[in-house]
Amino acid sequence: LIQDAAYESLLKSTRQHYHQHIAQVLEEQFSEVTEGQPELLAHHYTEAGLIEQAIGYWQKAGQSAVQRSAHVEAIAHLLQGLELLKTLPETSERIQREVDMLIALGASLIATKGYAGPEVGTTYTYARQLCQSLDNPHQLFPVLRGLWQCYNVRGEYVTARELGEQLLTLAEQV
């Protein structure tokens, strides 16, 4: 309680400066922490208000959690990064990064909620909408595949077939 009270008594700018300094020291002098606990740097960069750096580390934290099959943790990290992404201007680079994070999120949602989970369909549908503004078949393919799996398991075979045909066409083009 004393620690929390002391932290809250600091000016926001002072807290941000401390978080930025901690993150920079961790990056520069403790590479094992940077590699092993990217969520720690993500937290400090988020609190420092350095959104770009924070997003990169939330994405790394999500990917690291996926590799360990810690899907609940991955979902939390990726959602945090996606929330921060919404604060950035809408550029093609931001959209590509968002789609990458949504693809990873979709995979973790499948692992925790199942293929037919409503969150899975929502995530891949949104990713598909974002893909329409990009011309990157390498991002579109896993999105369409995730949607196909979702509709196929739900028993919505007409939609699943249409998505399967789109996958085939995309594969033949690439």
Side-chain angles (χ1 to χ4, degrees):
L1 292 173
I2 293 171
Q3 183 180 2
D4 289 343
Y7 180 78
E8 291 298 322
S9 70
L10 293 172
L11 292 173
K12 184 177 179 179
S13 60
T14 304
R15 282 187 295 209
Q16 286 180 321
H17 173 72
Y18 286 150
H19 282 289
Q20 179 180 358
H21 184 68
I22 290 167
Q24 288 172 340
V25 168
L26 287 172
E27 266 185 330
E28 293 168 7
Q29 297 179 13
F30 298 96
S31 60
E32 69 279 357
V33 173
T34 303
E35 293 300 315
Q37 296 177 321
E39 64 277 2
L40 183 60
L41 276 95
H43 166 75
H44 285 296
Y45 276 127
T46 300
E47 293 298 316
L50 298 169
I51 304 302
E52 288 282 342
Q53 292 94 324
I55 292 168
Y57 280 109
W58 285 122
Q59 188 172 8
K60 280 184 184 180
Q63 291 168 341
S64 175
V66 167
Q67 290 174 347
R68 295 188 320 272
S69 296
H71 294 289
V72 173
E73 189 178 316
I75 291 168
H77 296 325
L78 292 166
L79 287 175
Q80 185 76 28
L82 287 165
E83 279 301 310
L84 289 176
L85 264 175
K86 292 178 184 176
T87 65
L88 298 179
E90 194 168 310
T91 63
S92 63
E93 180 182 297
R94 187 204 110 182
I95 294 171
Q96 284 183 315
R97 188 176 226 181
E98 191 170 2
V99 170
D100 285 339
M101 291 177 82
L102 287 168
I103 291 167
L105 177 62
S108 287
L109 287 170
I110 287 170
T112 58
K113 308 285 184 180
Y115 287 103
E119 301 94 335
V120 174
T122 303
T123 299
Y124 282 120
T125 299
Y126 180 57
R128 184 181 186 190
Q129 291 170 355
L130 292 176
C131 282
Q132 290 175 351
S133 65
L134 302 171
D135 187 30
N136 188 344
H138 298 289
Q139 282 185 311
L140 181 59
F141 195 87
V143 170
L144 289 176
R145 189 187 67 219
L147 271 175
W148 173 81
Q149 290 171 322
C150 180
Y151 284 106
N152 192 44
V153 171
R154 286 182 186 171
E156 298 179 32
Y157 299 120
V158 173
T159 306
R161 179 184 168 99
E162 291 170 4
L163 288 164
E165 289 172 355
Q166 290 175 26
L167 281 166
L168 180 60
T169 302
L170 186 61
E172 289 173 345
Q173 290 173 352
V174 176

